[in-house]
mmCIF file of all heavy atoms in Angstrom:
data_model
loop_
_atom_site.group_PDB
_atom_site.id
_atom_site.type_symbol
_atom_site.label_atom_id
_atom_site.label_comp_id
_atom_site.label_asym_id
_atom_site.label_seq_id
_atom_site.Cartn_x
_atom_site.Cartn_y
_atom_site.Cartn_z
ATOM 1 N N LEU A 52 9.593 -4.907 -0.688
ATOM 2 C CA LEU A 52 8.264 -5.130 -1.137
ATOM 3 C C LEU A 52 7.927 -6.618 -1.171
ATOM 4 O O LEU A 52 6.896 -7.031 -0.602
ATOM 5 C CB LEU A 52 7.881 -4.523 -2.536
ATOM 6 C CG LEU A 52 6.532 -4.713 -3.081
ATOM 7 C CD1 LEU A 52 5.486 -4.134 -2.192
ATOM 8 C CD2 LEU A 52 6.540 -4.241 -4.557
ATOM 9 N N GLU A 53 8.816 -7.402 -1.699
ATOM 10 C CA GLU A 53 8.621 -8.860 -1.689
ATOM 11 C C GLU A 53 8.562 -9.535 -0.386
ATOM 12 O O GLU A 53 7.670 -10.319 0.051
ATOM 13 C CB GLU A 53 9.715 -9.540 -2.559
ATOM 14 C CG GLU A 53 9.614 -9.340 -3.979
ATOM 15 C CD GLU A 53 8.422 -9.927 -4.600
ATOM 16 O OE1 GLU A 53 7.798 -10.993 -4.160
ATOM 17 O OE2 GLU A 53 7.866 -9.362 -5.605
ATOM 18 N N THR A 54 9.376 -8.912 0.572
ATOM 19 C CA THR A 54 9.486 -9.462 1.931
ATOM 20 C C THR A 54 8.075 -9.189 2.596
ATOM 21 O O THR A 54 7.537 -9.964 3.241
ATOM 22 C CB THR A 54 10.559 -8.822 2.710
ATOM 23 O OG1 THR A 54 11.793 -9.243 2.072
ATOM 24 C CG2 THR A 54 10.576 -9.270 4.156
ATOM 25 N N LEU A 55 7.668 -7.879 2.495
ATOM 26 C CA LEU A 55 6.438 -7.543 3.194
ATOM 27 C C LEU A 55 5.259 -8.236 2.655
ATOM 28 O O LEU A 55 4.282 -8.607 3.402
ATOM 29 C CB LEU A 55 6.203 -5.981 3.092
ATOM 30 C CG LEU A 55 7.204 -5.078 3.970
ATOM 31 C CD1 LEU A 55 7.058 -3.636 3.650
ATOM 32 C CD2 LEU A 55 6.911 -5.370 5.463
ATOM 33 N N CYS A 56 5.247 -8.386 1.354
ATOM 34 C CA CYS A 56 3.998 -9.152 0.676
ATOM 35 C C CYS A 56 4.065 -10.560 1.159
ATOM 36 O O CYS A 56 3.000 -11.140 1.387
ATOM 37 C CB CYS A 56 4.124 -9.007 -0.819
ATOM 38 S SG CYS A 56 3.742 -7.382 -1.548
ATOM 39 N N GLY A 57 5.246 -11.152 1.248
ATOM 40 C CA GLY A 57 5.255 -12.511 1.701
ATOM 41 C C GLY A 57 4.798 -12.764 3.154
ATOM 42 O O GLY A 57 4.025 -13.641 3.467
ATOM 43 N N LYS A 58 5.083 -11.762 4.000
ATOM 44 C CA LYS A 58 4.694 -11.775 5.378
ATOM 45 C C LYS A 58 3.205 -11.479 5.525
ATOM 46 O O LYS A 58 2.572 -12.082 6.402
ATOM 47 C CB LYS A 58 5.547 -10.750 6.202
ATOM 48 C CG LYS A 58 6.900 -11.169 6.422
ATOM 49 C CD LYS A 58 7.659 -10.078 7.249
ATOM 50 C CE LYS A 58 9.068 -10.470 7.441
ATOM 51 N NZ LYS A 58 9.913 -9.482 8.213
ATOM 52 N N SER A 59 2.726 -10.496 4.699
ATOM 53 C CA SER A 59 1.308 -10.162 4.923
ATOM 54 C C SER A 59 0.342 -10.986 4.112
ATOM 55 O O SER A 59 -0.812 -11.075 4.355
ATOM 56 C CB SER A 59 1.120 -8.688 4.509
ATOM 57 O OG SER A 59 1.281 -8.605 3.158
ATOM 58 N N GLY A 60 0.883 -11.732 3.156
ATOM 59 C CA GLY A 60 0.037 -12.558 2.214
ATOM 60 C C GLY A 60 -0.725 -11.694 1.130
ATOM 61 O O GLY A 60 -1.490 -12.241 0.407
ATOM 62 N N GLN A 61 -0.399 -10.433 1.089
ATOM 63 C CA GLN A 61 -0.895 -9.600 0.028
ATOM 64 C C GLN A 61 -0.151 -9.742 -1.289
ATOM 65 O O GLN A 61 1.075 -9.958 -1.227
ATOM 66 C CB GLN A 61 -0.803 -8.120 0.431
ATOM 67 C CG GLN A 61 -1.939 -7.758 1.508
ATOM 68 C CD GLN A 61 -1.699 -6.267 1.843
ATOM 69 O OE1 GLN A 61 -0.620 -5.848 2.364
ATOM 70 N NE2 GLN A 61 -2.707 -5.497 1.518
ATOM 71 N N SER A 62 -0.888 -9.497 -2.394
ATOM 72 C CA SER A 62 -0.165 -9.400 -3.617
ATOM 73 C C SER A 62 0.618 -8.227 -3.623
ATOM 74 O O SER A 62 0.317 -7.178 -2.963
ATOM 75 C CB SER A 62 -1.091 -9.505 -4.761
ATOM 76 O OG SER A 62 -1.959 -8.366 -4.848
ATOM 77 N N ARG A 63 1.616 -8.027 -4.592
ATOM 78 C CA ARG A 63 2.221 -6.826 -4.807
ATOM 79 C C ARG A 63 1.304 -5.618 -5.164
ATOM 80 O O ARG A 63 1.385 -4.551 -4.647
ATOM 81 C CB ARG A 63 3.295 -6.914 -5.867
ATOM 82 C CG ARG A 63 4.471 -7.789 -5.362
ATOM 83 C CD ARG A 63 5.419 -8.246 -6.472
ATOM 84 N NE ARG A 63 5.710 -7.281 -7.505
ATOM 85 C CZ ARG A 63 6.841 -7.123 -8.120
ATOM 86 N NH1 ARG A 63 7.801 -7.733 -7.650
ATOM 87 N NH2 ARG A 63 7.026 -6.188 -9.022
ATOM 88 N N SER A 64 0.373 -5.934 -6.095
ATOM 89 C CA SER A 64 -0.622 -4.919 -6.549
ATOM 90 C C SER A 64 -1.451 -4.449 -5.339
ATOM 91 O O SER A 64 -1.634 -3.227 -5.200
ATOM 92 C CB SER A 64 -1.405 -5.549 -7.661
ATOM 93 O OG SER A 64 -0.748 -5.691 -8.792
ATOM 94 N N ASP A 65 -1.916 -5.334 -4.513
ATOM 95 C CA ASP A 65 -2.764 -4.962 -3.378
ATOM 96 C C ASP A 65 -1.964 -4.101 -2.464
ATOM 97 O O ASP A 65 -2.505 -3.119 -1.993
ATOM 98 C CB ASP A 65 -3.367 -6.144 -2.632
ATOM 99 C CG ASP A 65 -4.444 -6.872 -3.430
ATOM 100 O OD1 ASP A 65 -5.008 -6.196 -4.362
ATOM 101 O OD2 ASP A 65 -4.727 -8.078 -3.170
ATOM 102 N N PHE A 66 -0.788 -4.488 -2.104
ATOM 103 C CA PHE A 66 0.094 -3.764 -1.217
ATOM 104 C C PHE A 66 0.346 -2.381 -1.753
ATOM 105 O O PHE A 66 0.261 -1.342 -0.976
ATOM 106 C CB PHE A 66 1.447 -4.407 -1.044
ATOM 107 C CG PHE A 66 2.222 -3.937 0.094
ATOM 108 C CD1 PHE A 66 2.109 -4.449 1.435
ATOM 109 C CD2 PHE A 66 3.139 -2.907 -0.126
ATOM 110 C CE1 PHE A 66 2.858 -3.891 2.419
ATOM 111 C CE2 PHE A 66 3.994 -2.378 0.822
ATOM 112 C CZ PHE A 66 3.817 -2.832 2.141
ATOM 113 N N VAL A 67 0.680 -2.190 -3.023
ATOM 114 C CA VAL A 67 1.006 -0.960 -3.522
ATOM 115 C C VAL A 67 -0.248 -0.088 -3.725
ATOM 116 O O VAL A 67 -0.221 1.115 -3.388
ATOM 117 C CB VAL A 67 1.636 -1.000 -4.970
ATOM 118 C CG1 VAL A 67 1.863 0.258 -5.640
ATOM 119 C CG2 VAL A 67 3.071 -1.698 -4.765
ATOM 120 N N ARG A 68 -1.320 -0.655 -3.961
ATOM 121 C CA ARG A 68 -2.680 0.148 -4.062
ATOM 122 C C ARG A 68 -3.018 0.722 -2.636
ATOM 123 O O ARG A 68 -3.334 1.913 -2.523
ATOM 124 C CB ARG A 68 -3.795 -0.740 -4.568
ATOM 125 C CG ARG A 68 -4.081 -0.703 -5.961
ATOM 126 C CD ARG A 68 -5.403 -1.361 -6.369
ATOM 127 N NE ARG A 68 -5.433 -2.841 -6.052
ATOM 128 C CZ ARG A 68 -4.907 -3.789 -6.849
ATOM 129 N NH1 ARG A 68 -4.459 -3.420 -7.968
ATOM 130 N NH2 ARG A 68 -5.026 -4.994 -6.477
ATOM 131 N N GLU A 69 -2.800 -0.116 -1.661
ATOM 132 C CA GLU A 69 -3.087 0.356 -0.228
ATOM 133 C C GLU A 69 -2.103 1.512 0.171
ATOM 134 O O GLU A 69 -2.527 2.470 0.796
ATOM 135 C CB GLU A 69 -3.110 -0.749 0.670
ATOM 136 C CG GLU A 69 -3.515 -0.428 2.051
ATOM 137 C CD GLU A 69 -4.824 0.214 2.262
ATOM 138 O OE1 GLU A 69 -5.748 -0.066 1.485
ATOM 139 O OE2 GLU A 69 -5.020 1.214 2.964
ATOM 140 N N ALA A 70 -0.887 1.328 -0.184
ATOM 141 C CA ALA A 70 0.145 2.269 0.080
ATOM 142 C C ALA A 70 -0.230 3.661 -0.618
ATOM 143 O O ALA A 70 -0.084 4.672 0.029
ATOM 144 C CB ALA A 70 1.450 1.701 -0.247
ATOM 145 N N LEU A 71 -0.630 3.510 -1.900
ATOM 146 C CA LEU A 71 -0.944 4.678 -2.615
ATOM 147 C C LEU A 71 -2.150 5.376 -2.064
ATOM 148 O O LEU A 71 -2.162 6.650 -1.839
ATOM 149 C CB LEU A 71 -1.115 4.342 -4.117
ATOM 150 C CG LEU A 71 -1.448 5.495 -5.050
ATOM 151 C CD1 LEU A 71 -0.320 6.585 -4.974
ATOM 152 C CD2 LEU A 71 -1.656 4.923 -6.446
ATOM 153 N N ARG A 72 -3.136 4.625 -1.691
ATOM 154 C CA ARG A 72 -4.323 5.142 -1.012
ATOM 155 C C ARG A 72 -3.965 5.927 0.242
ATOM 156 O O ARG A 72 -4.439 7.069 0.484
ATOM 157 C CB ARG A 72 -5.271 4.130 -0.676
ATOM 158 C CG ARG A 72 -6.149 3.590 -1.851
ATOM 159 C CD ARG A 72 -7.351 2.633 -1.350
ATOM 160 N NE ARG A 72 -7.866 2.109 -2.525
ATOM 161 C CZ ARG A 72 -7.670 0.814 -2.914
ATOM 162 N NH1 ARG A 72 -6.845 0.033 -2.171
ATOM 163 N NH2 ARG A 72 -8.192 0.318 -3.969
ATOM 164 N N ARG A 73 -3.120 5.286 1.040
ATOM 165 C CA ARG A 73 -2.614 5.923 2.318
ATOM 166 C C ARG A 73 -1.928 7.276 2.005
ATOM 167 O O ARG A 73 -2.134 8.335 2.613
ATOM 168 C CB ARG A 73 -1.767 5.009 3.080
ATOM 169 C CG ARG A 73 -2.152 4.822 4.478
ATOM 170 C CD ARG A 73 -1.221 3.857 5.289
ATOM 171 N NE ARG A 73 -0.261 3.090 4.610
ATOM 172 C CZ ARG A 73 -0.428 1.893 4.193
ATOM 173 N NH1 ARG A 73 -1.513 1.241 4.297
ATOM 174 N NH2 ARG A 73 0.551 1.265 3.628
ATOM 175 N N GLN A 74 -1.022 7.273 1.022
ATOM 176 C CA GLN A 74 -0.254 8.466 0.598
ATOM 177 C C GLN A 74 -1.222 9.595 0.147
ATOM 178 O O GLN A 74 -1.000 10.679 0.545
ATOM 179 C CB GLN A 74 0.834 8.082 -0.402
ATOM 180 C CG GLN A 74 1.722 9.177 -0.678
ATOM 181 C CD GLN A 74 2.602 9.577 0.550
ATOM 182 O OE1 GLN A 74 2.999 8.732 1.339
ATOM 183 N NE2 GLN A 74 2.944 10.888 0.645
ATOM 184 N N ILE A 75 -2.149 9.169 -0.637
ATOM 185 C CA ILE A 75 -3.119 10.175 -1.129
ATOM 186 C C ILE A 75 -3.826 10.709 -0.066
ATOM 187 O O ILE A 75 -4.079 11.983 0.070
ATOM 188 C CB ILE A 75 -4.044 9.547 -2.197
ATOM 189 C CG1 ILE A 75 -3.317 9.291 -3.470
ATOM 190 C CG2 ILE A 75 -5.294 10.476 -2.436
ATOM 191 C CD1 ILE A 75 -4.050 8.418 -4.489
ATOM 192 N N ARG A 76 -4.341 10.008 0.981
ATOM 193 C CA ARG A 76 -5.095 10.541 2.101
ATOM 194 C C ARG A 76 -4.160 11.421 2.905
ATOM 195 O O ARG A 76 -4.720 12.550 3.389
ATOM 196 C CB ARG A 76 -5.681 9.417 2.946
ATOM 197 C CG ARG A 76 -6.671 8.552 2.407
ATOM 198 C CD ARG A 76 -7.850 9.262 1.763
ATOM 199 N NE ARG A 76 -8.708 8.411 1.012
ATOM 200 C CZ ARG A 76 -8.672 8.348 -0.272
ATOM 201 N NH1 ARG A 76 -7.966 8.980 -1.080
ATOM 202 N NH2 ARG A 76 -9.558 7.501 -0.943
ATOM 203 N N GLN A 77 -2.941 11.143 3.157
ATOM 204 C CA GLN A 77 -2.086 11.977 3.896
ATOM 205 C C GLN A 77 -1.834 13.325 3.232
ATOM 206 O O GLN A 77 -1.713 14.260 3.805
ATOM 207 C CB GLN A 77 -0.766 11.195 4.122
ATOM 208 C CG GLN A 77 -0.899 10.139 5.102
ATOM 209 C CD GLN A 77 0.439 9.361 5.299
ATOM 210 O OE1 GLN A 77 1.411 9.502 4.517
ATOM 211 N NE2 GLN A 77 0.566 8.490 6.269
ATOM 212 N N ALA A 78 -1.622 13.181 1.871
ATOM 213 C CA ALA A 78 -1.465 14.476 1.178
ATOM 214 C C ALA A 78 -2.731 15.365 1.126
ATOM 215 O O ALA A 78 -2.643 16.537 1.356
ATOM 216 C CB ALA A 78 -1.142 14.156 -0.397
ATOM 217 N N GLU A 79 -3.866 14.767 1.053
ATOM 218 C CA GLU A 79 -5.189 15.542 1.261
ATOM 219 C C GLU A 79 -5.225 16.168 2.660
ATOM 220 O O GLU A 79 -5.741 17.288 2.696
ATOM 221 C CB GLU A 79 -6.272 14.598 0.901
ATOM 222 C CG GLU A 79 -6.445 14.118 -0.526
ATOM 223 C CD GLU A 79 -7.519 13.205 -0.738
ATOM 224 O OE1 GLU A 79 -7.921 12.369 0.168
ATOM 225 O OE2 GLU A 79 -7.988 13.007 -1.889
ATOM 226 N N PHE A 80 -4.917 15.361 3.628
ATOM 227 C CA PHE A 80 -5.031 15.889 4.993
ATOM 228 C C PHE A 80 -4.102 17.074 5.185
ATOM 229 O O PHE A 80 -4.377 18.102 5.718
ATOM 230 C CB PHE A 80 -4.732 14.791 6.001
ATOM 231 C CG PHE A 80 -4.713 15.273 7.438
ATOM 232 C CD1 PHE A 80 -5.934 15.448 8.105
ATOM 233 C CD2 PHE A 80 -3.549 15.558 8.044
ATOM 234 C CE1 PHE A 80 -5.914 16.010 9.428
ATOM 235 C CE2 PHE A 80 -3.504 16.081 9.370
ATOM 236 C CZ PHE A 80 -4.724 16.184 10.034
#
């Protein structure tokens, strides 16, 4: 998580929120 956040410039919270949104959409689909 730290590595990816460092590369993307996203905060940990932003990264996890987006990952959770994606996972929820996949489950709904």
Side-chain angles (χ1 to χ4, degrees):
L52 178 60
E53 288 298 328
T54 299
L55 288 171
C56 288
K58 289 180 180 179
S59 69
Q61 286 181 292
S62 69
R63 289 166 38 138
S64 292
D65 287 342
F66 189 91
V67 171
R68 267 192 297 274
E69 184 57 34
L71 184 56
R72 281 187 189 103
R73 231 180 353 265
Q74 187 64 32
I75 289 169
R76 297 302 173 262
Q77 287 176 351
E79 290 172 339
F80 178 80

